[in-house]
């Protein structure tokens, strides 16, 4: 056990800090549409051009190939510098890209990885279907082989920013006769393919901005060469992608939430008085969260530590469940501290928006129910 | 002693239920668009059916029924997510009636005028909004504004407020403004000693929150029965089943307390204030918890505007923050003597 | 909807109040053993002799045959007078007796009911088995018919006060070949029967006093005439008993808990100061409980109201689940208000004991898990 | 940066684990009877193995390992429900060492003497016990008593207390007395500036509580695997499975924070106090919740002395109430500056 960083690591930290301080975008991120897309791509390109993109990606595909400790350092500095979130670039950087790295063939890697890092292409996800929910195995979007192409018909839902994306990581059923979790393929899908139509889905936090779309595929044609990891292997390919969903990148979130709790303490003191808040019910919740945020950070350090020793795997679900729970409590408390002004939901980034968003957050990382099944069965060895 | 509605009361409930099912299906909020709601169109119809003066004495121009009938009807208003402007009209008519402005009273009872609601923004301590700062709900097209506090209840003109500024409402189907109270006193004022409208407001808001919690519960249970995952309805999984069971348990508690509080009020018993506050505490917490649980049961679907689940959550927070949040009501309930 | 009581009801209330005020035992109840048994029987006899026993029981068996409203009044006054709990008489008055009334034959009623009311016989329960838990259907204690007798062999566990009891309501398997929930019989068992041995089980609250015993039956012989409700009908007979477990009698508990919350408010104010407690985390919990206790009482009124209209049934499970939850929170808060002195567990009735006991309480009324299954399936109609 | 134990540390953990598995199985508490425990017999053996001076510098007569090794060992003490008298000896030896009483130090490090623990009974406000009123744990057969507060740590003689009265301990396997402090100052005293024993005490108590929570978790999981109901192991039911999952999640959080806190302390970083308090807050809450959940998983069986489940619950409450409860620690953690 140690908290030591090597002299080289410390130098790396300083370089990262200096570069971030000088280059982090100061302008606010636009709230939607093409302007938002342009902002996210520009910030990604800025990092790429300076050699700071893809901390965990292999060097041969334009990444930095850093070890986990350096990744941790980068993300800590990233959060401390209040650098913009990667938002629209998230799926490419954290799902699609890592999946290609793990399971793609050389041509697929050469074609698709660099544009993600360089801020040229936005990726989105095409996993969930209208009647499948968390049960990916139940997906029904069909892909029929026709010569050297797949012909895709069906629908995907809850695709974040689908209308602003260039590429999609798409799960389709290529063998309808195989059992549920077999016969699925993972496909690189170009969002400009004829036969694709998008329909926006409104969400509760922002009635005026599209976040999710539903995708309808009507005999959309994709080259067979876009199948990743082999035909009918999609389930295992998707599972490796899901594993990436929360990697070291989430250390950023940790630190941001910790910052937020500190801000909340300040705001509560300003609003209710310092002496008062100490003994108050809000104070009690703030104090507990201050302790829990420390623990959540320590859990992330533990995930990194385990990965260094090549152990862990399903143990990371413990951290995910805990972090989901703590973050939801942070957001609810932020809402409560505002008092009656929580009746307002300003357009700019705000605690009310933040609270409402937390309901989507819990869902995004796999519902907490499923997370707890995984802990029960894979970590504790309880029977199914 | 009987907490169940009588036959007459059941008939009233059936009437309002079928009226709202026809005129105010929850889907109306989606169809109407993101901002605002079409509920002002309901007021004249509710007036014609007598629902706006249900609990007002006959000699005051009302139907002459009790707080219990009002409670039952406001529960349905909550269930159907009727605009909280309904509080402005029903309680506003009571203010006018008790204050002796019969013309205004009768006009309000027809549902011809809208009455907004003023809610204080000021914190108990510290900087920020002060005692003159208010939020105005559903007041954009209203000439009158209802103000209720522990001392009494009053009606103000919209012009009694200055610096009115439209803001985005967390519950976007309700219009919301910031405003500063500029008048020294309301146009009409009913002191607590004349008629305890404050406790009635809390009691009815509790009933409304009961309805919100029940609406969320029923939506979740219906979904759990039809939505299949891993080959069976999700309601068959203990995790989902127990979430629904907890929702039902909480709703039952809130309904029973709302019923009891309305009876204590109707009988003019000394614990009226206590039970009204207790009802608001229990019901708004239930409404918030059930609304969140409903979203959870719906998974990702629960977060979209396509599902109506988010309306319950937002409205539950409005019910909580109106006329004093859980936090303030909890502080308040400790100030009462031990109830009988 | 109304809270009205008739003039006759009001007179009844006054009579009950007067009698209770004059007759409630002032001495403390002994903590264990024969002295405790004698105390409980004496208090039951005192009520019986004055005509106040068995409020819900038919008059022909010595009861008062009161309607539910009068029962409610009686229990409210009972609690307000701080009358002793019926403790050892509980099973006879609330399980065994009611089951005989509902399902027993005339001879069984004539023999067994009056001694329960008159404070002559203590009954205990013999339902749970070492490896059956909440699953009564899995019970394995065998009863073989031999002439006009049953010969019982097996074991029961968690029998409260078995060592101080005269009679036992006993569930045995009379047909080993029938499916799980068939082939069970409900039997009146005399605790003096040869072949019965008892072993005390220590519990965490009171290491020095026996509360639970385990019963071992080694070819214990019971007349066939002691089978209640017919051979192999035990499951249905037991289900009717379980329904009685919480009747109007529990209004007493409600009111006691409400008193306790009021005491807690006083104690917290005395310990921490009135102004302080208002804004404090403890104050917030006290306030919430004050509201929840009001709701719990209203729920009990609703159960009585529904029963008057012959509706309800499984709806009462809503009240049971809620009351279980609220009572556990009351007890935990009582513990927390004591502060560091909660390290002590005095022998006399105390909040610490009370807190620890709450763990048994939740279990006694059927685990909350099972309660929630019942609500989900029977009240809400969710699939099994 | 590595939060996992090194090979050397793992070897220490394995040693103490196998020692305690052999010498201190949890069943010993049942066999020993209702009151008290046989753990004083462990002290000389632990002394011989070097566990009593593990974290004490070599120049102070100890083994010279860090706060992290101490943390790992105290976690095992909690897991095996070792008497909290162990805190008296280990921290008492540190007091003696830093205060320069080498003879006492060496005697304590052999485990030849018992050291009780004094815990204040006084409330922050209101009537009741005052600042001189203490509970003494495991002090009945001890000539020395350890006292730790925010200013420092000291050793007193048992005779420094008066009005000693034996009381029933909520955790009946620990002896408990009420006493009044009569001495002006301890026999030996180490100010916070010389060695921050207070934060070390909280950190180690957090580690101990981690072990308690893990013990309860493992007991529940083992039971859920073997106990069958309705034809399958109860751990297959979601309701039970999710209770166990929550226990595991909480234990992981507490362990990670305890590890982090020990490293921050070992490195003498400025946030040492913050992380020690955070560790105690997280771990004692986890210990209480897991202990209660374990009883729930066991059903009626969990409440009896035959199961060991109740020991975890009672000890968790002791861990909470020792050196300031959750309530006090929460107030305290808000007083620290933002941690790095």
């Amino acid at each position: 056990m140690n908290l030591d960083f090597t002299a080289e690591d410390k130098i790396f930290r300083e370089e990262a800090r200096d570069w971030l301080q000088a280059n982090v975008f100061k302008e606010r991120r636009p709230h939607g549409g093409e302007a938002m897309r342009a902002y996210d791509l520009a910030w990604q390109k800025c990092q790429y051009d300076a050699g700071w993109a893809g901390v965990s990606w292999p060097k041969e595909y334009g990444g930095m190939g850093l070890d986990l400790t350096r990744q941790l350092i980068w993300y800590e500095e990233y959060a401390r510098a209040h650098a913009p979130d990667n938002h629209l670039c998230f799926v490419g950087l954290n799902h699609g890209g890592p999946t290609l790295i793990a399971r793609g063939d050389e041509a697929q890697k050469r074609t698709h990885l660099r544009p993600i890092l360089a801020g040229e292409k936005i990726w989105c996800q095409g996993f969930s279907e209208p009647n499948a929910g968390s049960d990916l195995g139940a997906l029904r979007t069909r892909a029929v082989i026709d010569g050297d192409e797949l012909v895709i018909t069906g629908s995907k839902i809850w695709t974040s920013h689908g209308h602003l994306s260039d590429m999609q990581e798409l799960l389709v059923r290529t063998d309808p006769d195989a059992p549920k979790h077999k016969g699925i393929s993972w496909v690189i899908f170009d969002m400009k393919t004829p036969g694709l139509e998008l329909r926006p889905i409104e969400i509760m936090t922002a009635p005026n901005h599209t976040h999710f779309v539903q995708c309808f595929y009507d005999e959309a044609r994709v080259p067979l060469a876009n199948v990743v990891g082999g035909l009918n292997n999609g389930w295992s390919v998707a599972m490796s992608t899901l594993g990436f969903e929360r990697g070291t990148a989430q250390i950023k979130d940790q630190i941001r939430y910790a910052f937020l709790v500190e801000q909340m303490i300040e705001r509560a003191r300003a609003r209710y008085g310092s002496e008062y808040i100490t003994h108050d019910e809000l104070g009690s919740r703030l104090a507990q969260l201050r302790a829990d945020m420390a623990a959540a950070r320590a859990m992330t350090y533990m995930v990194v530590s385990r990965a260094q020793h090549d152990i862990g795997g399903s143990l990371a679900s413990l951290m995910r469940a805990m972090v989901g729970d703590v973050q939801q409590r942070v957001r609810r408390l932020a809402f409560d501290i505002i008092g009656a002004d929580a009746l307002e939901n300003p357009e700019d980034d705000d605690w009310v928006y933040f609270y409402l968003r937390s309901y989507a957050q819990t869902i995004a990382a796999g519902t907490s129910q499923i997370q707890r099944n995984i802990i029960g069965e894979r970590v504790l060895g309880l029977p199914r | 002693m009987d907490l169940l509605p009588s036959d007459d009361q059941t008939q009233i409930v059936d009437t309002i239920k079928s009226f709202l099912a026809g005129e105010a299906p929850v889907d109306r909020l989606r169809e109407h668009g993101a901002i605002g709601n079409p509920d002002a169109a309901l007021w004249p119809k509710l007036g014609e059916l007598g629902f706006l003066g249900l609990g007002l004495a006959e000699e005051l121009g009302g139907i002459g029924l009790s707080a219990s009938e009002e409670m039952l009807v406001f529960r349905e208003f909550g269930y159907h997510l009727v605009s909280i402007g309904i509080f402005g009209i029903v309680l506003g008519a009571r203010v006018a009636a008790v204050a002796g402005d019969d013309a205004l009273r009768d006009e309000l009872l027809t549902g011809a005028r809208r009455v907004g609601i003023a809610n204080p923004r000021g914190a108990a301590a510290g900087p920020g909004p002060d005692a003159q700062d208010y939020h105005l709900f559903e007041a954009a097209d209203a000439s009158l504004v209802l103000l209720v506090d522990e001392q009494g209840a009053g009606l103000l003109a919209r012009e009694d407020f200055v610096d009115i500024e439209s803001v985005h409402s967390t519950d976007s189907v309700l219009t919301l403004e910031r405003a500063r109270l500029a008048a020294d006193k309301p146009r009409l004022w009913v002191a607590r000693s004349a008629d305890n409208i404050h406790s009635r407001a809390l009691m009815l808001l509790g009933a409304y929150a009961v309805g919100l919690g029940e609406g969320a519960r029923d939506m979740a249970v219906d979904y759990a029965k039809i939505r299949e995952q891993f080959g069976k309805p999700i309601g068959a999984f203990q995790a989902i089943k127990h979430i629904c069971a907890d929702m039902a348990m909480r709703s039952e508690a809130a309904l029973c307390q709302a019923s009891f509080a309305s009876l204590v009020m109707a009988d003019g018993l000394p614990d009226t204030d206590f039970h009204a506050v207790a009802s608001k505490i229990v019901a708004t917490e239930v409404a918030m918890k059930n609304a969140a649980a409903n979203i959870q049961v719906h998974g990702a679907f629960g977060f979209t505007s396509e599902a109506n689940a988010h309306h319950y959550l937002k409205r539950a927070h409005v019910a909580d923050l109106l006329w004093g949040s859980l936090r303030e009501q909890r502080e308040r309930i400790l100030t009462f003597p031990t109830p009988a």
Side-chain angles (χ1 to χ4, degrees), chain A, chain B:
Chain A
M1 289 168 65
N2 67 80
L3 289 179
D4 305 338
F5 293 94
T6 63
E8 291 76 17
D9 286 339
K10 287 177 188 160
I11 292 168
F12 173 81
R13 189 186 285 277
E14 276 167 37
E15 287 172 355
R17 188 177 298 176
D18 292 346
W19 184 82
L20 284 161
Q21 200 156 23
N23 291 282
V24 158
F25 282 17
K26 304 286 183 292
E27 323 80 272
R28 282 199 89 122
R29 180 170 179 262
H31 265 281
E34 287 298 331
M36 182 170 82
R37 176 185 149 98
Y39 182 96
D40 288 352
L41 287 173
W43 168 236
Q44 182 61 35
K45 184 172 188 311
C46 171
Q47 292 170 84
Y48 180 77
D49 289 346
W52 288 108
V55 286
S56 64
W57 289 27
K59 287 187 178 172
E60 52 183 318
Y61 305 115
M64 298 174 73
L66 300 179
D67 63 26
L68 279 170
T69 309
R70 294 261 171 116
Q71 294 176 32
L72 184 71
I73 291 171
W74 167 254
Y75 284 119
E76 285 188 340
E77 294 305 323
Y78 192 97
R80 282 190 188 133
H82 299 283
D85 217 336
N86 48 30
H87 289 292
L88 292 190
C89 299
F90 182 84
V91 172
L93 290 168
N94 295 72
H95 292 230
T99 305
L100 292 182
I101 292 169
R103 309 291 291 267
D105 60 32
E106 201 51 30
Q108 291 165 341
K109 293 181 189 178
R110 292 283 158 212
T111 310
H112 296 288
L113 289 175
R114 198 172 296 264
I116 294 172
L117 283 190
E120 293 164 7
K121 297 276 187 191
I122 301 285
W123 280 56
C124 63
Q125 209 173 48
F127 284 8
S128 300
E129 293 193 5
N131 286 299
S134 306
D135 183 13
L136 282 188
L139 67 87
R140 286 182 297 191
T141 294
R142 285 283 302 275
V144 180
I145 299 171
D146 181 25
D148 59 355
E149 290 184 321
L150 283 174
V151 184
I152 299 172
T153 303
S155 175
K156 294 288 174 178
I157 199 163
W158 315 128
T159 296
S160 295
H161 307 300
H163 57 304
L164 300 174
S165 297
D166 304 292
M167 307 301 296
Q168 183 173 48
E169 43 174 5
L170 183 62
L171 284 179
V172 291
R173 183 163 296 285
T174 35
D175 181 354
D177 301 323
K180 245 166 100 172
H181 293 90
K182 318 229 169 194
I184 294 172
S185 296
W186 197 105
V187 177
I188 302 168
F189 184 83
D190 189 317
M191 296 297 276
K192 283 181 217 70
T193 309
L196 171 67
E197 270 191 49
L198 303 180
R199 188 172 67 92
I201 303 171
E202 284 181 21
I203 57 165
M204 63 194 284
T205 48
N208 304 320
H209 294 131
T210 297
H211 178 91
F212 294 117
V213 298
Q214 184 166 0
C215 308
F216 297 92
Y217 311 84
D218 181 13
E219 303 199 350
R221 290 182 168 264
V222 179
L224 261 178
N226 279 17
V227 173
V228 172
L231 210 61
N232 298 332
N233 279 337
W235 178 256
S236 107
V237 177
M239 285 301 106
S240 51
T241 311
L242 285 179
F244 288 120
E245 190 169 350
R246 300 285 182 105
T248 50
Q250 76 126 21
I251 192 81
K252 284 204 310 273
D253 285 341
Q254 298 283 348
I255 297 173
R256 280 193 183 148
Y257 272 88
F259 277 136
L260 178 64
V261 170
E262 298 301 314
Q263 279 174 18
M264 282 157 58
I265 292 172
E266 286 316 306
R267 189 150 165 183
R269 279 191 182 129
R271 186 172 177 95
Y272 302 99
S274 188
E275 208 21 61
Y276 182 77
I277 207 71
T278 305
H279 303 290
D280 186 76
E281 180 258 344
L282 290 178
S284 169
R285 288 162 69 193
L286 281 167
Q288 183 66 45
L289 277 175
R290 218 180 187 199
D292 289 339
M293 287 310 303
R297 181 188 181 198
M299 288 173 99
T300 307
Y301 273 54
M302 183 65 95
V303 168
V304 173
S305 301
R306 287 213 188 94
Q308 287 170 349
H309 295 271
D310 280 327
I311 51 176
S314 58
L315 283 168
S317 59
L318 295 166
M319 184 267 290
R320 267 175 229 143
M322 170 74 179
V323 163
D325 171 69
V326 172
Q327 292 184 350
Q328 179 117 11
R329 283 193 289 127
V330 170
R331 287 163 174 223
R332 175 58 199 266
L333 181 52
F335 187 89
D336 286 349
I337 284 173
I338 305 172
D341 279 355
L343 291 168
E344 296 179 23
N345 182 19
E347 274 272 299
D348 44 338
D349 215 10
D350 188 83
W351 294 1
V352 171
Y353 171 84
F354 198 56
Y355 163 66
L356 294 174
R357 269 298 293 173
S358 66
Y359 286 98
Q361 200 81 2
T362 326
I363 294 152
T367 69
S368 67
Q369 309 301 341
I370 289 174
Q371 205 69 257
R372 288 150 95 204
N373 280 343
I374 292 174
I375 295 173
E377 288 157 19
R378 296 198 211 152
V379 176
L380 299 176
L382 290 169
R384 280 183 164 271
Chain B
M1 188 284 299
D2 189 353
L3 255 56
L4 289 173
S6 67
D7 290 347
D8 285 352
Q9 288 168 331
T10 302
Q11 210 178 325
I12 292 170
V13 170
D14 290 345
T15 305
I16 190 69
K17 260 190 210 243
S18 76
F19 172 81
L20 292 172
E23 304 276 332
V26 173
D27 279 347
R28 78 193 182 284
L29 302 177
R30 193 164 65 206
E31 287 157 14
H32 190 76
I35 309 288
N37 61 72
D39 290 355
L42 301 175
W43 305 160
K45 296 175 189 169
L46 287 170
E48 202 168 323
L49 290 167
F51 282 111
L52 302 179
L54 206 65
L56 204 57
E58 286 184 74
E59 62 271 24
L60 290 175
I63 306 292
L65 293 173
S66 79
S68 292
E69 284 80 11
E70 274 193 320
M71 184 281 294
L72 290 169
V73 168
F74 270 79
R75 173 188 175 200
E76 299 304 324
F77 290 153
Y79 193 93
H80 287 85
L81 290 158
V82 169
S83 159
I84 61 165
I86 190 70
F87 288 89
I89 299 186
V90 170
L91 296 174
R94 179 172 288 270
V95 168
V98 179
D101 186 338
D102 292 359
L104 178 59
R105 170 196 79 189
D106 291 340
E107 198 187 351
L108 288 175
L109 288 178
T110 65
R113 288 182 75 169
R114 304 182 188 188
V115 183
I117 300 173
N119 198 50
R121 291 180 56 216
D130 71 26
Q132 301 303 306
D133 288 320
Y134 283 87
H135 276 131
L136 304 184
F137 268 113
E138 298 288 71
D141 298 313
S143 52
L144 293 170
V145 175
L146 174 77
L147 192 157
V148 177
D149 64 24
E150 278 191 84
Q151 274 67 54
L155 281 172
L156 296 115
R158 184 174 165 83
E159 301 81 60
D160 294 335
F161 292 89
V162 295
D163 302 339
I164 298 179
E165 173 197 358
S166 178
V167 291
H168 283 265
S169 173
T170 297
D171 182 344
S172 63
V173 299
L174 299 174
T175 68
L176 185 68
E177 295 161 306
R178 287 185 178 193
R180 215 172 149 72
L181 181 61
D184 285 345
K185 57 185 178 66
R187 309 266 163 140
L188 293 175
W189 178 251
V190 175
R192 174 199 183 79
S193 54
D195 191 8
N196 189 349
I197 295 176
H198 179 247
S199 276
R200 187 174 297 262
L202 297 187
M203 188 279 287
L204 292 178
L205 194 49
Y208 184 88
V210 168
L212 292 175
E214 291 173 330
R217 174 201 63 196
D218 290 351
M219 192 178 161
V221 170
D222 289 348
Y223 188 73
K225 284 177 184 170
I226 55 158
R227 175 82 165 85
E228 294 202 359
Q229 221 167 334
F230 306 109
K232 51 181 177 175
I234 58 171
F237 294 99
Q238 266 190 339
I240 300 292
K241 185 177 289 172
H242 289 185
I243 290 172
C244 293
D246 284 343
M247 293 171 88
M249 175 191 88
R250 289 191 289 255
S251 280
E252 170 81 353
L255 172 63
C256 292
Q257 176 57 22
S259 303
F260 199 86
S262 78
L263 288 169
V264 169
M265 178 174 290
D267 289 355
L269 298 177
D271 295 325
T272 294
D273 292 347
F274 174 90
H275 284 292
V277 172
S279 184
K280 188 183 189 248
I281 288 175
V282 172
T284 53
E285 178 155 52
V286 168
M288 290 188 284
K289 283 189 173 166
N290 280 12
N294 183 32
I295 291 174
Q296 205 186 342
V297 167
H298 277 72
F301 184 61
F303 194 65
T304 67
S305 300
E306 313 236 332
N308 293 313
H310 68 108
H311 289 301
Y312 294 101
L313 182 73
K314 292 168 173 176
R315 193 62 55 85
H317 279 295
V318 170
D320 176 38
L321 293 168
L322 195 57
W323 297 321
S325 68
L326 258 184
R327 180 179 172 79
E328 288 149 86
Q329 302 300 345
R330 283 189 185 137
E331 290 185 2
R332 195 152 170 260
I333 202 172
L334 288 180
T335 65
F336 296 113
T338 297

